[in-house]
Amino acid sequence: MPPPTTLFTLTPKIFLQVRPCVHEYLKGWIERAAVIPNAELRKQALASIDTKTFHCEGGAVYGLLAGDRYPEAIRFIVAYQTISDYLDNLCDRSTSLNPDDFRVLHTSLNHALTPTAGIDDYYRLRDERDDGGYLASLVNTCQTALAELPAYRQIAPYLLELAADYCDLQVYKHVRKEERLSLMQAWFEEKRAVLPPMEWYEFAACCGSTVGIFCLVAQTYNEDCTDELMKNLKNAYFPWVQGLHILLDYLIDQDEDCRGGDLNFCSYYKDYETMIFRLSHFYRQANVSISRLPYASFHRMINQGMLGMYLADNKVYRQREVRRAARKMIFLGGPGSLFFYLICWLYRRMSASRPHIPSPVISKKRSD
């Protein structure tokens, strides 16, 4: 079954198939997280799901590339994204600033993409260690899903390449403030020769997304999986689609990150006009990069959906310059992005109007 290629076929599938599936899988992970023996690990595991569910919801839309096997693809996507969000919380809120600790933690993401890798002691360089098998279970879920794919060997090199860049970024961005920029700039210089013209902070953004991995895995559930298609998918998503994804995320988080003392890539643009120009460039290049893929209209709708989802976020309206940016950028995607903007705007306002009991597990990011 091909993926939806129009707004009128995609939207009901998101609400009637994707979201219920995501929440069913997350329910199981919440139950596992709730019984983690170590209090700090339990707190961060629950907080990462509580505050970042939308990461799984957005990523799981790629599961529709798997056709009738979308529940299997979404099971992998939810587990992998949950690892990513959990580790991000552990590093953001860590009392440690040890890059070796961060790198060991993130080997779990590489192992999750390697069915034969087994399980390691990912907490061995930190004091908090007893998670009751929570992280190992997430890794094993991903490994089991990939082991069942006949074409796994075709996508493995691309998955591991994307994951390696992601893990490098997570290590460099979480070390001491005085070391961050030099490490990331040196890393960028190593990679610069094979990249289109961009700045170091834009390259870092391109490495910070998991959507390329999700797209590759979901596509592999189809029988028309060829070496050429897998290579084209990877090159279509990195750098432009992944860069668009993370730059939009950082665009709306500028005020929050400034208050928390956290790194924000959009803050490095020299002025507002340059930022808008470059984000618009990333959007246009993202559309060009996916134009030769099968079901290009599906991928184009995802790009439009990114614009709509992020620019409809409540954070936008609390930041004057981000609000100005949103007014300009929402029209980049034409009627499609406007449609997703309205859907996301209505959904978030309806959700916000429901009674909500604050979760006791959420803690603030460390400010270094």
Side-chain angles (χ1 to χ4, degrees), residues 243-310:
L244 172 68
H245 172 209
I246 298 304
L247 286 172
L248 286 170
D249 192 40
Y250 277 90
L251 171 70
I252 68 171
D253 280 349
Q254 288 179 86
D255 186 51
E256 180 182 306
D257 288 342
C258 182
R259 291 197 309 271
D262 296 304
L263 190 71
N264 187 296
F265 298 134
C266 282
S267 70
Y268 290 95
Y269 286 111
K270 65 178 181 179
D271 52 41
Y272 164 83
E273 287 74 18
T274 303
M275 181 182 71
I276 297 304
F277 175 80
R278 289 300 293 172
L279 265 67
S280 300
H281 177 68
F282 266 81
Y283 178 78
R284 294 187 182 100
Q285 289 301 118
N287 277 340
V288 170
S289 73
I290 55 89
S291 62
R292 290 180 290 275
L293 295 178
Y295 310 113
S297 55
F298 171 81
H299 298 279
R300 192 175 302 111
M301 284 192 296
I302 299 295
N303 292 345
Q304 293 170 334
M306 284 186 194
L307 278 183
M309 180 181 75
Y310 281 105

Side-chain angles (χ1 to χ4, degrees), residues 90-103 125-126 170-180 183 262 366-368:
L90 288 184
C91 295
D92 269 343
R93 297 158 174 84
S94 177
T95 54
S96 162
L97 289 170
N98 180 1
D100 293 331
D101 172 37
F102 298 153
R103 193 166 292 283
L125 297 183
R126 57 175 43 222
Q170 292 303 311
V171 172
Y172 298 147
K173 71 178 279 196
H174 287 111
V175 297
R176 297 181 186 277
K177 275 187 177 181
E178 58 269 24
E179 298 174 0
R180 289 176 186 169
L183 284 171
D262 296 304
R366 78 175 151 77
S367 58
D368 294 344

Side-chain angles (χ1 to χ4, degrees), residues 25 63 65 77 111 127 174 179 202 237 240 256 280 302-303 308 357:
Y25 289 132
L65 285 168
I77 290 169
H111 289 175
D127 294 332
H174 287 111
E179 298 174 0
E202 294 175 328
Y237 271 75
W240 299 114
E256 180 182 306
S280 300
I302 299 295
N303 292 345
I357 300 173

Side-chain angles (χ1 to χ4, degrees), residues 41 60 72 130 140 162 178 211 228 233 239 258 268 274 291 311 347:
L41 297 179
E72 299 169 63
D130 187 3
N140 183 255
L162 291 171
E178 58 269 24
V211 297
E228 183 179 7
L233 277 170
C258 182
Y268 290 95
T274 303
S291 62
L311 299 182
Y347 174 73

Side-chain angles (χ1 to χ4, degrees), residues 317-359:
Y317 303 96
R318 297 193 289 267
Q319 304 172 76
R320 184 171 62 87
E321 290 217 334
V322 177
R323 218 167 41 239
R324 289 172 58 202
R327 291 193 192 106
K328 290 190 175 184
M329 292 183 61
I330 194 59
F331 295 104
L332 281 173
S337 60
L338 283 170
F339 175 82
F340 285 115
Y341 173 87
L342 291 172
I343 290 292
C344 293
W345 189 91
L346 288 169
Y347 174 73
R348 283 183 169 137
R349 270 64 185 177
M350 290 171 63
S351 298
S353 66
R354 297 180 190 135
H356 176 69
I357 300 173
S359 170

Side-chain angles (χ1 to χ4, degrees), residues 56-240:
C56 289
E57 291 175 336
V61 176
Y62 285 102
L64 295 173
L65 285 168
D68 291 334
R69 299 182 68 184
Y70 75 88
E72 299 169 63
I74 291 176
R75 179 177 59 189
F76 167 85
I77 290 169
V78 168
Y80 197 82
Q81 187 61 49
T82 299
I83 298 174
S84 172
D85 291 336
Y86 173 52
L87 298 187
D88 194 50
N89 266 37
L90 288 184
C91 295
D92 269 343
R93 297 158 174 84
S94 177
T95 54
S96 162
L97 289 170
N98 180 1
D100 293 331
D101 172 37
F102 298 153
R103 193 166 292 283
V104 170
L105 280 172
H106 281 85
T107 58
S108 61
L109 286 171
N110 291 317
H111 289 175
L113 299 176
T114 312
T116 58
I119 303 295
D120 201 354
D121 178 6
Y122 304 115
Y123 302 103
R124 64 179 177 269
L125 297 183
R126 57 175 43 222
D127 294 332
E128 306 90 5
R129 299 181 62 172
D130 187 3
D131 74 351
Y134 176 70
L135 181 54
S137 183
L138 285 163
V139 171
N140 183 255
T141 296
C142 295
Q143 291 174 332
T144 300
L146 295 181
E148 295 171 354
L149 294 176
Y152 166 74
R153 290 183 181 276
Q154 292 173 276
I155 63 169
Y158 305 120
L159 296 180
L160 294 173
E161 181 182 348
L162 291 171
D165 284 341
Y166 178 87
C167 294
D168 283 344
L169 172 65
Q170 292 303 311
V171 172
Y172 298 147
K173 71 178 279 196
H174 287 111
V175 297
R176 297 181 186 277
K177 275 187 177 181
E178 58 269 24
E179 298 174 0
R180 289 176 186 169
L181 296 191
S182 60
L183 284 171
M184 284 196 280
Q185 288 169 350
W187 177 43
F188 171 59
E189 291 302 326
E190 292 176 7
K191 304 277 189 174
R192 191 171 197 163
V194 297
L195 295 168
M198 63 176 63
E199 301 296 333
W200 70 264
Y201 44 89
E202 294 175 328
F203 163 68
C206 297
C207 296
S209 175
T210 49
V211 297
I213 290 173
F214 299 157
C215 183
L216 283 162
V217 171
Q219 183 66 51
T220 310
Y221 281 91
N222 286 300
E223 293 181 0
D224 61 348
C225 178
T226 65
D227 291 336
E228 183 179 7
L229 174 58
M230 295 301 102
K231 180 180 179 180
N232 290 342
L233 277 170
K234 186 267 177 182
N235 291 336
Y237 271 75
F238 183 91
W240 299 114

